[in-house]
Amino acid sequence: MGARATSPPPWRRHCLCRALHFLVLLLWGTSEANKEQAMLPPRGWNSYDSFSWIVDENAYLQNAQIMTEKLLPHGYQYAVIDFLWYRKYVDGAYTDSYGFDNIDEWGRPFPDLQRFPSSRVDRGFSQIASKVHGMGLKFGIHLMKGISVQAVNADTPILDIKTGKPYLEDGRQWTARDIGLSHRTCAWMTHGFMSVNTNIGAGRAFLRSLYRQYADWGVDFVKVDCIFGTDYSPEEIITISELLQEIDRPIILSISPGTAVTPALAENISDHVNMYRITGDDWDNWKDVSSHFGVSSSFATAKKIGATGLRGRSWPDLDMLPFGWLTDPSVNQGPHRKCNLTLDEQKAQMALWSMTKSPLMYGGDLRNLDDSTLNIITNSGLLKINHYSRNNMEFHYVHSERTSNGEHSGHFRSPYPVRVTKNDGIFVSLTACSDDAAKGWYMFPQDGKPDHICRNYEILNDKNVSFCLGKTKRFLASDVLTMDTKEHQSKFHISVTNTDDTCLDASAGRRQTASEIRLPMFSACRWHAKQMWELNANGNLVSSYSRLCATVESRDEGGTSGGRAWIATGSEGEIYLAFFNLDSMSRKMTVQISDLGKVLGRNLLEKNPCSYTEVWSGKNFGPVKEEISAVVHSHGSMVFEIIC
């Protein structure tokens, strides 16, 4: 009689199932880790524009559920909790308050348990992340750079994730005070966070424990703030990027500044991230929207759109879409008002964000999403351009005139670097020190008077015209953060007025909107890295805070008025042409087809007839002739799809 087949005992079946489950997870994790990420500009929803910092678990999950139903089918997948989720929502707490944050025994923030009650399970976001993943979405959080001032003052130990014990090196235990750079507190949240010294093992160990914890929570997207722009922290950006690559699951890295950014500043950073903000905060006013035209053009010219990034590609980020039901910046209040932009202005913003392939992060409260707003942010033509267009650039060969008086606007070539101060129409700006425009500063000594730091910026009547700043004596105060005495020797303050009480700041003391150019600025002197400068042998005037270098330029007001145009090509040969009217009156805008063909390198109309359709209205204008011309409303846009 043959042997009878028997099933394995329950304990063996259990072990076999566990082994197979582990193998599946291992293979899945490996494939996920190797998967290219952000190959298209990410889309999602962020809580900041509607809740400032006071969003709670219930409101967040309600928005996530609506996002699943209404926005996920259109590619919006990242649901992001913005800043200060670890801050207690009590009297006295605000953006730069001190002592209200939840930090664990290792100096790491954990969610406010009153606002996020499910976090009581593990003092983390794993419960919320699981629910979000169950909705088909990806979970994101906002972070500040470095380590909290609270943790440094408490001198918390640093977790070594390899041992689960305090970090030891060189025979001693390292703590938060060893790694926190107290002279590099966040310029607009000085009581909140400071940079970490990533040149030492303890600094990297802290950041490793931080980001490994976020991965364990199920985080898919991190937005790191106060780390770019004039708060530039390249070592920390690169370290975070390297640490994320150690993790066996993909996490999108988005970085954010408090101010504007130049292409030169992004040159060595874009490879290490997936999204990087290139302006201050965009809010619902036309001045903020219109300020994006120049800066987005400069990044397109620098070929930064869709360049190599962390495990995939990187995208210049024009900030969120502040439409629908909103709050106000940095307030302790949830959504309470309608968007201040007109429908034409919202369409123009959506069109620019799409033509520049910016990530699309909606900011309004989805529980009050109206049909007109939904139609704007889910317009299929614009979303196709945002994801699949190529060769995106500003098109300078556009003629426009006011329909009322025939005033011509011309075309504009206006980059928007970070401007520090003005002197007879001249600004000091900050850029990467590798930028040629940052060189040429020199010391100009004066007998009996304070020295000057000068730079030639133009030649007038065969003579160099110089821009000078006063070099002031070192100023110390007992109530401010100080640096090591050895570092004082080469540092100095600078001012326009040659006084000892007003010094030049290298970074803004508060979050800036996209249209603001007044900051960084002069403020009361203190010996903080924001106000320290040095002149090196290469002729660079270097900020001790960000290690960015100063340059000089004339103010250009021409970039935020008149008519602008952008072009792109589609994956199937179509051409996109967008008209934007930045003026307060209607304009007739015209592009010659021959100019369009020259820029794109095509002989349009020569072999095949072309027709064109306007994307917003869906109107078919029929055959293309010698030009495309249209009247565009004030602060409005028209986007044409040309098929030949």
Side-chain angles (χ1 to χ4, degrees), residues 370-383:
D370 59 273
D371 289 342
S372 59
T373 303
L374 178 63
N375 290 337
I376 289 173
I377 64 176
T378 61
N379 180 283
S380 59
L382 271 296
L383 293 181

Side-chain angles (χ1 to χ4, degrees), residues 470-521:
K471 176 186 175 185
T472 70
K473 65 183 180 182
R474 293 190 296 273
F475 180 89
L476 296 176
S478 59
D479 61 341
V480 297
L481 300 171
T482 60
M483 292 182 67
D484 185 85
T485 305
K486 294 179 182 178
E487 297 187 30
H488 291 171
Q489 304 307 314
S490 62
K491 317 287 189 202
F492 50 81
H493 289 115
I494 54 178
S495 69
V496 167
T497 56
N498 293 340
T499 63
D500 289 339
D501 60 350
T502 306
C503 293
L504 187 66
D505 269 342
S507 188
R510 60 180 177 81
R511 291 177 70 110
Q512 297 297 289
T513 64
S515 57
E516 289 183 279
I517 61 172
R518 296 186 302 276
L519 297 174
M521 66 174 196

Side-chain angles (χ1 to χ4, degrees), residues 41-46 67 71 74-78 275 316-321 349-363 376-379 382-387:
R43 296 177 190 160
W45 174 83
N46 181 294
M67 183 179 168
L71 296 185
H74 302 280
Y76 291 82
Q77 59 177 332
Y78 293 96
M275 294 166 50
D317 178 14
L318 299 185
D319 201 18
M320 290 175 276
L321 299 169
Q349 181 168 356
M350 181 68 184
L352 179 65
W353 267 231
S354 297
M355 291 296 294
T356 61
K357 294 176 74 72
S358 170
L360 300 177
M361 303 297 289
Y362 180 66
I376 289 173
I377 64 176
T378 61
N379 180 283
L382 271 296
L383 293 181
K384 183 172 74 168
I385 294 170
N386 176 257
H387 264 182

Side-chain angles (χ1 to χ4, degrees), residues 441-444 451-454 469-475 483 487-495 500 502-506 525-536 540-545 550:
W441 291 91
Y442 58 91
M443 191 79 73
F444 182 70
D451 291 342
H452 282 73
I453 307 295
C454 299
L469 296 160
K471 176 186 175 185
T472 70
K473 65 183 180 182
R474 293 190 296 273
F475 180 89
M483 292 182 67
E487 297 187 30
H488 291 171
Q489 304 307 314
S490 62
K491 317 287 189 202
F492 50 81
H493 289 115
I494 54 178
S495 69
D500 289 339
T502 306
C503 293
L504 187 66
D505 269 342
C525 293
R526 58 182 185 143
W527 198 242
H528 187 280
K530 286 205 311 171
Q531 296 181 341
M532 297 180 192
W533 303 83
E534 58 187 290
L535 186 65
N536 67 20
N540 295 130
L541 182 59
V542 187
S543 163
S544 298
Y545 179 73

Side-chain angles (χ1 to χ4, degrees), residues 251-356:
I251 298 177
I252 294 289
L253 176 56
S254 168
I255 59 175
S256 182
T259 47
V261 172
T262 64
L265 188 57
E267 186 60 38
N268 298 318
I269 291 301
S270 59
D271 287 359
H272 303 279
V273 302
N274 302 113
M275 294 166 50
Y276 54 100
R277 278 267 300 283
I278 59 176
T279 70
D281 291 352
D282 175 73
W283 279 93
D284 54 326
N285 66 78
W286 180 248
K287 191 175 181 182
D288 276 5
V289 175
S290 61
S291 71
H292 288 77
F293 282 85
V295 67
S296 57
S297 179
S298 66
F299 275 83
T301 300
K303 300 188 182 305
K304 302 303 289 182
I305 297 175
T308 300
L310 171 62
R311 285 177 167 172
R313 293 185 182 176
S314 61
W315 306 94
D317 178 14
L318 299 185
D319 201 18
M320 290 175 276
L321 299 169
F323 307 157
W325 199 244
L326 307 171
T327 188
D328 295 303
S330 300
V331 297
N332 295 21
Q333 188 175 2
H336 61 277
R337 63 174 180 85
K338 293 182 179 179
C339 173
N340 290 319
L341 296 172
T342 67
L343 283 179
D344 280 337
E345 290 170 343
Q346 292 176 54
K347 288 181 176 180
Q349 181 168 356
M350 181 68 184
L352 179 65
W353 267 231
S354 297
M355 291 296 294
T356 61

Side-chain angles (χ1 to χ4, degrees), residues 424-605:
D424 297 327
I426 304 301
F427 286 84
V428 175
S429 310
L430 295 178
T431 187
C433 295
S434 57
D435 192 340
D436 289 339
K439 300 174 182 177
W441 291 91
Y442 58 91
M443 191 79 73
F444 182 70
Q446 289 185 312
D447 294 336
K449 295 182 180 180
D451 291 342
H452 282 73
I453 307 295
C454 299
R455 187 179 184 279
N456 298 332
Y457 68 89
E458 67 176 346
I459 297 177
L460 187 64
N461 298 326
D462 296 325
K463 294 182 179 180
N464 285 325
V465 179
S466 298
F467 175 86
C468 294
L469 296 160
K471 176 186 175 185
T472 70
K473 65 183 180 182
R474 293 190 296 273
F475 180 89
L476 296 176
S478 59
D479 61 341
V480 297
L481 300 171
T482 60
M483 292 182 67
D484 185 85
T485 305
K486 294 179 182 178
E487 297 187 30
H488 291 171
Q489 304 307 314
S490 62
K491 317 287 189 202
F492 50 81
H493 289 115
I494 54 178
S495 69
V496 167
T497 56
N498 293 340
T499 63
D500 289 339
D501 60 350
T502 306
C503 293
L504 187 66
D505 269 342
S507 188
R510 60 180 177 81
R511 291 177 70 110
Q512 297 297 289
T513 64
S515 57
E516 289 183 279
I517 61 172
R518 296 186 302 276
L519 297 174
M521 66 174 196
F522 289 88
S523 61
C525 293
R526 58 182 185 143
W527 198 242
H528 187 280
K530 286 205 311 171
Q531 296 181 341
M532 297 180 192
W533 303 83
E534 58 187 290
L535 186 65
N536 67 20
N538 296 325
N540 295 130
L541 182 59
V542 187
S543 163
S544 298
Y545 179 73
S546 62
R547 306 308 298 174
L548 297 178
C549 286
T551 185
V552 174
E553 65 177 59
S554 299
R555 185 173 183 179
D556 179 9
E557 296 281 13
T560 56
S561 62
R564 307 287 282 259
W566 273 71
I567 57 172
T569 57
S571 58
E572 298 179 357
E574 61 269 53
I575 298 168
Y576 298 105
L577 168 66
F579 287 156
F580 299 95
N581 178 12
L582 281 61
D583 205 344
S584 58
M585 300 182 67
S586 294
R587 279 186 174 271
K588 182 179 181 181
M589 302 183 64
T590 304
V591 161
Q592 298 295 321
I593 296 301
S594 57
D595 289 333
L596 197 61
K598 289 176 185 176
V599 172
L600 294 175
R602 298 188 191 180
N603 293 320
L604 301 177
L605 304 180

